[in-house]
């Protein structure tokens, strides 16, 4: 059930990317597979480190049980995917081009939906609001 929730909330953001202000390249792109693979590996390693850190804090510092750790994982995945989307959405600096209103609204909706589900314990173990809001 948790993966269904992650997929649904993630689809809101994916659909809103079609309204984003990212500009097309002036010159045709050439596929530099080596650089793309390297960038993907770096982003993947960062996301893995982020997820590992969240689970480590949940397990060793907060002493959560397995159900609460699953909820914490889902929240971490959704929040991390939001951050990754803004990092990779265009060339240049992170905020070189303002995101569209629809992209921002879908991001807010995505974070609110998963936060409400996690705090209220809907389809998952509840987490304290202080943990989700960090």
């Amino acid at each position: 059930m948790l993966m269904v929730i992650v997929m649904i909330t993630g689809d809101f953001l994916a659909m809103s990317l079609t309204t984003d202000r990212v500009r097309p390249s002036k010159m045709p792109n050439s596929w530099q597979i080596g650089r793309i693979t390297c960038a993907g590996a770096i982003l993947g390693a960062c996301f893995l480190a982020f997820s590992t850190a969240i689970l480590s804090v949940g397990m060793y510092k907060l002493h959560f049980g397995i159900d609460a750790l699953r909820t914490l994982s889902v929240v971490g995945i959704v929040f991390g995917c939001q951050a990754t989307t803004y990092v990779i959405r265009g060339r240049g600096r992170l905020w070189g081009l303002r995101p569209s209103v629809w992209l921002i609204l879908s991001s807010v909706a995505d974070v609110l939906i998963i936060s409400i589900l996690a705090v209220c314990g809907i389809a998952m173990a509840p987490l304290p609001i202080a943990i989700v809001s960090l």
Side-chain angles (χ1 to χ4, degrees):
M1 181 66 163
L2 292 178
M3 290 311 295
V4 172
I5 293 169
V6 171
M7 288 174 20
I8 290 170
T9 57
D11 285 345
F12 285 127
L13 181 63
M15 288 185 289
S16 67
L17 282 171
T18 61
T19 67
D20 201 17
R21 293 187 172 97
V22 176
R23 297 182 188 123
S25 177
K26 293 179 183 178
M27 297 181 63
N29 291 330
S30 62
W31 288 92
Q32 298 174 354
I33 297 300
R35 292 181 73 188
I36 292 171
T37 303
C38 184
I42 291 169
L43 283 172
C46 290
F47 197 77
L48 177 62
F50 172 73
S51 298
T52 303
I54 287 174
L55 285 176
S56 296
V57 168
M59 186 171 189
Y60 298 114
K61 185 163 176 89
L62 302 173
H63 306 288
F64 283 164
I66 189 69
D67 291 331
L69 286 173
R70 286 181 184 139
T71 304
L72 189 62
S73 296
V74 169
V75 171
I77 288 169
V78 170
F79 285 21
C81 287
Q82 290 293 321
T84 302
T85 298
Y86 285 95
V87 168
I88 66 171
R89 63 181 272 275
R91 295 180 183 193
R93 289 186 229 147
L94 178 63
W95 293 107
L97 186 62
R98 196 180 76 213
S100 71
V101 172
W102 285 110
L103 182 62
I104 293 169
L105 289 175
S106 70
S107 294
V108 170
D110 199 12
V111 168
L112 282 175
I113 289 168
I114 199 64
S115 297
I116 290 168
L117 293 174
V119 170
C120 294
I122 300 170
M124 60 186 81
L127 288 179
I129 194 168
I131 299 299
V132 175
S133 64
L134 290 176

